[in-house]
């Protein structure tokens, strides 16, 4: 009966991040997890707005640890930000899946732990960076699969993530 239905959804996220470019020279892939809070409304369709929080831990690559005589290297990245999905089913006729484009901006907080504690040129122990991401995904009812590239200079990565969308509030 509502002419402009809207809702707020929560979406737990689980995925894998693969370091790219400079980041791949010193770190391995990482399992990432987080949560998104999404707002969808027929009045802004085909857009869905979201805020997000993610965390991931990358272990140091074996070659980098050997070259620098390290016992361990761990890069922990936590991010918070927001973005938008552009639902393509408005433009592409698809009954089974709903493809979408995703774009977001987030703040990376990076903390590195090195053992033994030594200074390595080009490796910062703490860092913050504004990161832009863009990608593609598709929805199967409440389940999403998303791939995106995180443009973060020395922390750039390719992400493959899944999420389940659960309704919180409908209005």
């Amino acid at each position: 009966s509502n002419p402009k239905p809207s809702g707020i959804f929560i979406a737990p996220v689980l995925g894998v991040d693969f370091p790219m470019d400079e980041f791949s020279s010193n770190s391995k892939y990482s399992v990432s997890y987080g949560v998104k809070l999404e707002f969808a409304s027929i009045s802004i369709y085909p857009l869905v707005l979201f805020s997000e929080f993610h965390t991931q831990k990358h272990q140091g690559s074996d070659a980098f640890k050997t070259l620098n005589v390290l016992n361990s290297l761990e890069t922990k990245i936590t991010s918070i930000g927001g973005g938008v999905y552009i639902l393509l089913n408005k433009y592409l006729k698809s009954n089974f899946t709903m493809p979408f484009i995703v774009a977001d901006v987030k703040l990376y907080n990076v903390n590195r732990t090195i053992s033994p504690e030594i200074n390595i040129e080009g490796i910062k122990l703490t860092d913050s960076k504004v990161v832009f991401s863009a990608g593609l995904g598709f929805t199967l009812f409440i389940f999403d699969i998303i791939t995106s590239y995180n443009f973060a200079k020395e922390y750039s990565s390719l992400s493959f993530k899944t999420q389940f969308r659960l309704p919180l509030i409908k209005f």
Side-chain angles (χ1 to χ4, degrees):
S1 65
N2 185 352
K4 295 190 178 186
S6 303
I8 296 177
F9 302 85
I10 190 165
V13 180
L14 180 64
V16 179
D17 282 69
F18 294 95
M20 303 298 285
D21 304 325
E22 184 181 333
F23 195 25
S24 68
S25 69
N26 60 48
S27 295
K28 297 179 184 179
Y29 73 92
S30 169
V31 172
S32 63
Y33 55 92
V35 66
K36 288 183 180 175
L37 199 58
E38 302 174 346
F39 171 74
S41 175
I42 198 71
S43 62
I44 61 171
Y45 176 80
L47 304 178
V48 175
L49 306 175
F50 65 87
S51 61
E52 63 184 334
F53 172 80
H54 291 278
T55 187
Q56 59 201 39
K57 283 185 188 175
H58 295 269
Q59 297 302 317
S61 70
D62 294 332
F64 186 82
K65 291 189 300 185
T66 301
L67 179 66
N68 292 286
V69 193
L70 298 175
N71 295 330
S72 66
L73 169 65
E74 180 180 271
T75 304
K76 181 179 181 185
I77 300 173
T78 55
S79 62
I80 188 165
V84 63
Y85 299 118
I86 302 168
L87 305 175
L88 299 177
N89 68 330
K90 182 173 183 174
Y91 312 105
L92 304 172
K93 299 301 177 204
S94 176
N95 294 330
F96 183 65
T97 64
M98 185 184 313
F100 58 86
I101 295 171
V102 62
D104 61 324
V105 177
K106 50 194 161 200
L107 176 65
Y108 268 16
N109 287 312
V110 181
N111 290 300
R112 284 196 161 131
T113 307
I114 298 174
S115 173
E117 292 182 22
I118 59 172
N119 290 328
I120 301 172
E121 186 177 334
I123 300 294
K124 300 174 188 171
L125 294 179
T126 60
D127 200 4
S128 292
K129 189 164 294 294
V130 175
V131 176
F132 299 96
S133 296
L136 298 169
F138 64 91
T139 297
L140 296 166
F141 303 107
I142 64 167
F143 178 72
D144 295 351
I145 297 175
I146 305 167
T147 183
S148 61
Y149 189 83
N150 302 300
F151 300 91
K153 292 189 182 178
E154 66 268 28
Y155 308 111
S156 292
S157 63
L158 181 63
S159 298
F160 296 95
K161 297 190 174 157
T162 60
Q163 66 185 33
F164 288 93
R165 183 174 298 102
L166 306 168
L168 284 180
I169 302 169
K170 183 176 139 182
F171 46 93

